[in-house]
Each structure stands twice: as structure tokens, then as C-alpha cells.
Amino acid sequence: MRLIKLISCFTLYFLIALNSKAQLSMFPAVSVPVQITPNGKEHLFASYYGINSWSKNQHFATVLETDVQFRIPTALDTATLGLVDMRTNKFLPLTKTTAWNFQQGCMAHWLATNPDSVIIYNDMRNGKYVSVIMNVITRKELKILPYPIGGVSPDGKEAVVINFSRLRITRTDYGYDGGGQDAQPSVRFPVNDGIFLLNLKTGSIKPVVSFAQLRSQVPEIKNPNGIEYIGHVLFSKGGSKLFFLARAIPDWNTTSFTINKDGSDLKRCFPDNWGGSHFDWLDDQRLLITALYEGKKNSHILFTVGQSNFRKLGSGKLDYDGHGTFSPDGKWMVTDTYPARNRDQTITLLNMKTDSVLTLGNYREPPEFKDGWRADIHCRWSPNGDLIGFNSTHTGSRQVYVIKVK
């Protein structure tokens, strides 16, 4: 009997090993994470998750450096915007900004018009939020535009403008301090505010959608002091469409929308009770959204614009709210978790063809990093798809890490 048990155990271990080997064969080889920022100060990628942080040649990554650690930054807190040289991991300071936060940095983007040398980022000048176009090689400011940007088109010619002062009073950790825009705190659905399209060459601006246009499309705000706000906005891969979230405080109801960049074809993605949280475009029609699937449980959902069929990703293993983003070739999706009870944050890779998942690592966030100064993992892919970058505090300070992908 003991021999039979030993044989059974051996068989079980063999099957587990075989299954693990088969599972690993569905995924690229990945390295252990490498810290690319120096200790001594806090560091984070200079933009939101899913936004490319690398020059096209992948020689440099945009990173913020700050002394602020366990609080939400104010207009008096200056962060240094710089580059990490990926060949040496040396931090190279470029400039300073007071329009930043721990969630989205200063929304730095490399511009596709000059993808190895020119970036755009947000700053505050003379009491107003602006966006600055800079050549990072010469460190020369090429243009200052009188609006802050919330996203840049894939061709690098246009950007979306949202109200970061309104964000400050509704979602404090995503807005900017200092009153650089008119927040209109007493207006529930402003007619003259919403999403705007900014021409980066001419500086001209035109409305895409106003809060007033959304009023009939979103749930009723029952609190008498409640107001609607727009946070995250993202261009589709071809640049023809936008996805955005409209939310209200203090009700915290959320509606997911797509719209053409010219303001036409405004569409709600889900029924009211599905909400929406994090997202990424797979192409010009399909996008990932984490939402309450059938109004019940947070899941990673693949959604096609204009259709009512939804595909849950991960075969039940991604039924949580995470920051998912697709690899440049669309074959993989990487996502993360918020801290578990033991404070672990997990990075997971999804094979889009087989729907199988692979855990890339667990990173324990110290309890001091919480609320608006928390450090979400916020993965992002490099242009070649051979690097996954993320922020983490698992060593006790906020630093930037890279996983190599073959």
C-alpha cells in the first residue's frame, strides 16, 4: 500500500511538472525584474500605465524624481522630469514640473513625429497648467501650449485636454494642485467643459464632448452637492476614437464611453451597473475594460465598440480590477492587482490566443504607501515589446523596474 501511495505521489508531481512545463511553453521567457532608478529619492514613470515611456530606439525612458513620499503632492512640490539611460541605468535630469501626481506623473509622452528626441509633458506656468514640447537631446523647449494634455494621438499630432483642477476636487490623487484651470465646483454638468482636441502644431483647440452632453447618458446624481468629472481618456490604436470614463462624486457612479475624435458617435459601453475602471485599446474597435461583469464582479473584459457581446479574459483567473495593457503586437496582455490582505501586488501575463495566464511576480507594498500616494504597479510595454516596466515600493522606496521579455 505504501508503494502504491509513493507511485501515486510521484505520478501527481510528474503531472504537475508536465503541466507547468506545458503552460510555460505558451509564454515568452521573462527575466527577474531589474531596478533601473537609483536609491536615495523616490522615482516613478512620468506617465500613466499603458502609455509608452520609451524613446522608439529604447535608449531612454521618462521618469520623475521627487522627495515627496507619504503624502499627496501640492503646487509647492517640484518633481524633476528626467531620462533613464537604459544602457547605464543613469538618471539624467531634464527639467522640473509642479503639474504632476503619483498616479499619472506629468503625463509625459514621446511624440511619434520625433520619437527618439521629442516629448510633451504637463507643467504650471504663471498660475496656469500648460503642456511643454521639449527636445530631450538639446534640452530646448520647442513650444509651450496653454492647455494640459491627458493623452496624445498615435501619430503625435493631436492631444486631448481635460480639466485637472476639476480632477483635484473630485479625484484628488489624479488632479493637480494650484488652480491652473477653472474647476467650476458648483456646476454639475458644465456646458463649456469636458474633453477637447488640441492640435499640437497650431495650438488650436476644439470641443469633443461637453459634460452637458453627457447628462442624459449617465446615472442621476442624487447627492445635492455631487458633480460629474472626466478622468482617463485614451486614443484608439489608429487614433480615430477615444475611450473615456465619466464619474460623479460622491455617488461614485461610473459610465464608460467611446466617441470619435470629431465628437460624433458617442456610445455607452455597458449598462449602468457595470461601471468601468481601467482600459486599453487592442485596435480601433476592440478594447479591454475592467468592469463589473453583468453588474456582479470585477473582471477583465474584451469589448467591441457598437456590439453587445463581451468576452471575459483569463478563464476566471482575472476576475478582479487591474491595470491591463496590451503588447505592441497584441499577443499578450499584462495586468496587476491592488494590494491583497498581506499587501502583495501581483503582475500577471495573459496569452491572448490561449487565454492562459502566468504570474510574473508578487511585490509587497509597505503599509505606509496608501491612499493618494499609493504606488500602483502600472505596467507598460516598450515599443519593441521586449520590456515590461512597472513602479513598485517593495524595497521600501518608490522605484522603477523592468522585466525583459523574449
Side-chain angles (χ1 to χ4, degrees):
M1 180 65 70
R2 185 178 180 185
L3 180 60
I4 293 174
K5 286 184 177 179
L6 287 172
I7 293 173
S8 298
C9 288
F10 178 81
T11 304
L12 177 61
Y13 293 142
F14 175 78
L15 289 173
I16 291 173
L18 185 64
N19 181 66
S20 298
K21 187 175 181 180
Q23 183 190 29
L24 288 173
S25 68
M26 300 178 187
F27 293 92
V30 295
S31 73
V32 296
V34 175
Q35 182 177 325
I36 64 170
T37 46
N39 293 316
K41 290 183 180 290
E42 303 291 297
H43 296 93
L44 64 149
F45 278 116
S47 57
Y48 200 31
Y49 83 96
I51 295 173
N52 170 47
S53 295
W54 283 272
S55 55
K56 187 177 180 180
N57 58 21
Q58 298 191 176
H59 287 176
F60 300 107
T62 50
V63 168
L64 283 184
E65 182 177 86
T66 178
D67 293 317
V68 181
Q69 191 172 34
F70 300 135
R71 59 180 176 83
I72 295 176
T74 71
L76 299 178
D77 293 311
T78 300
T80 299
L81 172 61
L83 303 176
V84 170
D85 187 327
M86 299 300 295
R87 296 157 292 191
T88 63
N89 288 354
K90 185 177 180 180
F91 181 77
L92 309 171
L94 288 176
T95 186
K96 295 183 181 296
T97 179
T98 55
W100 68 281
N101 54 56
F102 282 124
Q103 289 301 304
Q104 298 180 330
C106 59
M107 291 302 287
H109 289 70
W110 292 89
L111 293 184
T113 48
N114 299 93
D116 288 327
S117 59
V118 177
I119 64 170
I120 185 171
Y121 67 94
N122 289 336
D123 196 7
M124 191 172 187
R125 305 283 175 93
N126 300 316
K128 300 294 183 182
Y129 304 141
V130 301
S131 52
V132 181
I133 298 178
M134 169 183 278
N135 185 307
V136 299
I137 307 301
T138 64
R139 288 171 168 73
K140 180 181 179 181
E141 292 183 356
L142 304 179
K143 189 178 296 185
I144 300 175
L145 298 163
Y147 310 96
I149 55 107
V152 176
S153 62
D155 63 8
K157 296 179 180 180
E158 296 172 310
V160 288
V161 175
I162 58 174
N163 194 322
F164 285 92
S165 285
R166 194 172 178 91
L167 267 176
R168 184 72 177 190
I169 64 173
T170 53
R171 193 77 191 274
T172 308
D173 44 344
Y174 285 86
Y176 301 151
D177 188 32
Q181 288 166 285
D182 184 3
Q184 299 189 67
S186 62
V187 184
R188 185 168 290 183
F189 293 96
V191 175
N192 60 344
D193 197 4
I195 299 173
F196 299 86
L197 191 67
L198 173 65
N199 185 308
L200 297 183
K201 182 178 181 179
T202 66
S204 62
I205 193 171
K206 57 184 178 182
V208 176
V209 64
S210 70
F211 284 104
Q213 289 174 270
L214 301 178
R215 185 167 194 161
S216 63
Q217 303 286 333
V218 300
E220 178 187 358
I221 301 176
K222 296 180 180 179
N223 189 293
N225 298 317
I227 62 172
E228 196 82 11
Y229 72 94
I230 293 171
H232 318 317
V233 186
L234 187 66
F235 280 92
S236 60
K237 296 297 184 183
S240 64
K241 292 182 175 64
L242 300 171
F243 174 89
F244 66 96
L245 295 175
R247 283 177 169 161
I249 62 159
D251 306 63
W252 197 247
N253 60 59
T254 303
T255 308
S256 300
F257 286 101
T258 60
I259 192 171
N260 291 338
K261 70 175 184 179
D262 64 4
S264 64
D265 202 26
L266 177 67
K267 280 182 167 40
R268 288 161 37 113
C269 299
F270 301 123
D272 286 341
N273 61 342
W274 285 41
S277 186
H278 302 107
F279 50 88
D280 190 30
W281 287 92
L282 182 57
D283 48 40
D284 258 20
Q285 293 297 325
R286 294 174 296 168
L287 65 156
L288 162 77
I289 311 176
T290 54
L292 296 172
Y293 187 74
E294 296 180 343
K296 298 175 183 177
K297 188 175 183 179
N298 268 312
S299 302
H300 290 67
I301 302 168
L302 192 64
F303 165 68
T304 301
V305 176
Q307 297 184 15
S308 58
N309 55 319
F310 311 108
R311 173 189 162 197
K312 283 179 66 174
L313 299 177
S315 301
K317 297 179 180 178
L318 298 179
D319 287 350
Y320 52 81
D321 187 10
H323 304 84
T325 184
F326 295 111
S327 61
D329 61 10
K331 294 181 179 180
W332 315 99
M333 189 269 288
V334 66
T335 189
D336 61 9
T337 67
Y338 286 107
R341 289 185 178 181
N342 66 354
R343 303 293 297 172
D344 274 3
Q345 297 169 291
T346 302
I347 299 177
T348 301
L349 188 65
L350 172 75
N351 184 319
M352 290 295 294
K353 184 177 180 180
T354 65
D355 213 35
S356 51
V357 300
L358 179 70
T359 298
L360 298 187
N362 294 295
Y363 305 92
R364 185 159 296 178
E365 183 181 60
E368 295 84 4
F369 290 93
K370 57 183 180 179
D371 301 328
W373 55 92
R374 68 188 183 279
D376 293 342
I377 293 291
H378 283 177
C379 291
R380 65 210 61 213
W381 295 86
S382 65
N384 294 339
D386 58 354
L387 299 175
I388 296 173
F390 65 97
N391 303 316
S392 180
T393 56
H394 67 275
T395 62
S397 67
R398 188 187 313 266
Q399 302 298 337
V400 176
Y401 298 83
V402 164
I403 296 172
K404 295 181 180 180
V405 182
K406 287 189 178 180

